[in-house]
Amino acid sequence: MTAIGKYWRIALGVAVIAALIIVPMNFNRYGLYILSQWAVMTIAAMGLNLTLGYAGQVSLAQGAFVGIGAYAAAIMTTQGMPLIVALGVAIVLCFAIGWILGYPALRVQHHYLAFVTLAFSTLAFLVFRNEDWLTKGIYGISNIPRPNVLGFATNRPLPFYYFCLGSLGIVSLVMWWLIRSPWGRAFVALRENPVRALSLGIDTRRYTLMAFAIGSALGGVAGTLYAPLTQYIDPVPFNLSLSLDLLMMVIVGGSGFFFGPFLGAMIAVLLPEWLRFTQGYYLMLYAVAVMLLLIYSPTGILGILDRYLTERRTKAASALRAVAKSRLETAP
């Protein structure tokens, strides 16, 4: 990357962050709710992107982990405990369950693994719905309080949006470090060729379990934010459709790309709202737009950009080789 290109990327990043901070100041309550939901779903999609996009392990259970985090936050905060304690419990619980759920990935792959995680997602939904003594079943848990952060209340929509945005920023920094660490390179090697990764000395067993566990823990983080965002939860939002929506976010945005979940969540959460002017047709238009995108680019939105940049670099390298060859031919 040239110095000018690096400065352009930094400037673009600063502009996007500034826009996310300044522009929502003029939004109404519903607009802030949608943006907060985008931030929460992006965190959950980042966890699935780590499991699927970087480690190559198919999971249809991410929505269940969001539900586990949401119920942990709802149960504990309504009993007077701070959200940070609920967050710690959700991370540990989802990490442990994700680690156990990763064991089938050591024996089965692809659609067989998808069926295993699908079964767990169904099991979690049944627990949410039927265990009234813990989750209050179909009646749900209401009056979930929003936290005080460093002495500042987040009861109003704008402060809570900034709380969700700040949480997304912290998770993004951690993920940026993780992906560029030796762990991240091991995850990519595991996705590309497990046999070769094993021959290079990578403990594929441990990294498979870690991919599931860390991705599941991020789902728990998202759920911990989702509960105070809605201030009421019941089992319905955490059925299989949420896991499928998160899977779509990762694939549409670009599986295996760092910013894929950001774009995918934007498409899944914001695009339907932008298409509401079409009234009864907005869901059909949304579905058609997603299908056309995946037909044109199975690697998602960022896959199109990556393909364009790759072709551009290839053409530039070919031009340089042609110039060098002509100079050698004309040299005395």
Side-chain angles (χ1 to χ4, degrees):
M1 183 191 304
T2 63
I4 296 177
K6 182 178 180 180
Y7 291 140
W8 271 109
R9 290 193 178 189
I10 294 175
L12 179 61
V14 171
V16 170
I17 294 172
L20 289 173
I21 294 174
I22 297 173
V23 173
M25 291 181 179
N26 299 318
F27 283 15
N28 58 20
R29 178 183 294 268
Y30 184 70
L32 291 171
Y33 170 79
I34 293 298
L35 279 180
S36 301
Q37 187 181 22
W38 165 77
V40 171
M41 290 298 106
T42 299
I43 293 175
M46 289 175 71
L48 183 57
N49 190 40
L50 178 66
T51 305
L52 173 65
Y54 286 97
Q57 306 299 319
V58 181
S59 175
L60 292 177
Q62 191 70 355
F65 290 109
V66 175
I68 292 172
Y71 272 100
I75 293 170
M76 297 181 70
T77 56
T78 53
Q79 297 300 318
M81 297 184 184
L83 186 65
I84 188 67
V85 176
L87 175 63
V89 171
I91 290 175
V92 172
L93 186 60
C94 291
F95 186 93
I97 296 175
W99 185 281
I100 296 172
L101 189 63
Y103 277 97
L106 303 176
R107 302 295 298 273
V108 296
Q109 294 291 327
H110 307 303
H111 58 283
Y112 300 105
L113 179 59
F115 280 119
V116 173
T117 56
L118 172 62
F120 172 77
S121 182
T122 303
L123 174 63
F125 175 76
L126 292 175
V127 171
F128 298 153
R129 189 184 66 181
N130 297 327
E131 300 301 319
D132 296 358
W133 63 274
L134 180 64
T135 65
K136 297 186 179 180
I138 60 175
Y139 299 102
I141 301 175
S142 58
N143 299 320
I144 301 171
R146 289 182 174 176
N148 290 333
V149 182
L150 301 177
F152 295 96
T154 61
N155 294 327
R156 297 178 61 83
L158 185 61
F160 191 78
Y161 162 70
Y162 286 141
F163 173 63
C164 292
L165 186 64
S167 301
L168 175 59
I170 293 173
V171 172
S172 299
L173 290 175
V174 173
M175 284 295 296
W176 184 271
W177 169 81
L178 177 64
I179 291 169
R180 280 153 182 77
S181 69
W183 283 16
R185 291 190 288 272
F187 288 144
V188 174
L190 178 64
R191 177 194 65 190
E192 297 297 331
N193 193 322
V195 176
R196 182 179 297 174
L198 184 63
S199 68
L200 293 175
I202 296 175
D203 188 347
T204 56
R205 178 186 177 91
R206 184 182 67 175
Y207 281 106
T208 298
L209 298 176
M210 288 297 295
F212 266 95
I214 297 175
S216 302
L218 289 179
V221 173
T224 306
L225 296 174
Y226 181 84
L229 170 63
T230 59
Q231 297 188 291
Y232 168 81
I233 60 170
D234 63 4
V236 175
F238 310 115
N239 57 21
L240 180 61
S241 62
L242 178 58
S243 295
L244 295 176
D245 286 342
L246 291 169
L247 181 63
M248 187 197 69
M249 292 177 197
V250 173
I251 294 175
V252 168
S255 178
F257 294 96
F258 179 80
F259 291 105
F262 293 81
L263 290 176
M266 185 179 297
I267 296 296
V269 176
L270 302 183
L271 184 59
E273 301 299 325
W274 295 338
L275 294 175
R276 281 190 183 273
F277 70 92
T278 62
Q279 298 180 358
Y281 297 99
Y282 78 99
L283 286 178
M284 288 188 291
L285 292 174
Y286 169 69
V288 170
V290 171
M291 286 190 294
L292 291 177
L293 171 65
L294 293 180
I295 291 173
Y296 176 73
S297 176
T299 54
I301 297 174
L302 291 182
I304 299 174
L305 178 61
D306 182 67
R307 187 164 61 245
Y308 167 74
L309 294 176
T310 300
E311 291 176 355
R312 186 176 176 179
R313 287 193 294 265
T314 301
K315 291 180 180 179
S318 299
L320 290 175
R321 284 196 298 268
V323 171
K325 182 178 179 181
S326 64
R327 288 179 178 176
L328 289 175
E329 292 176 349
T330 57

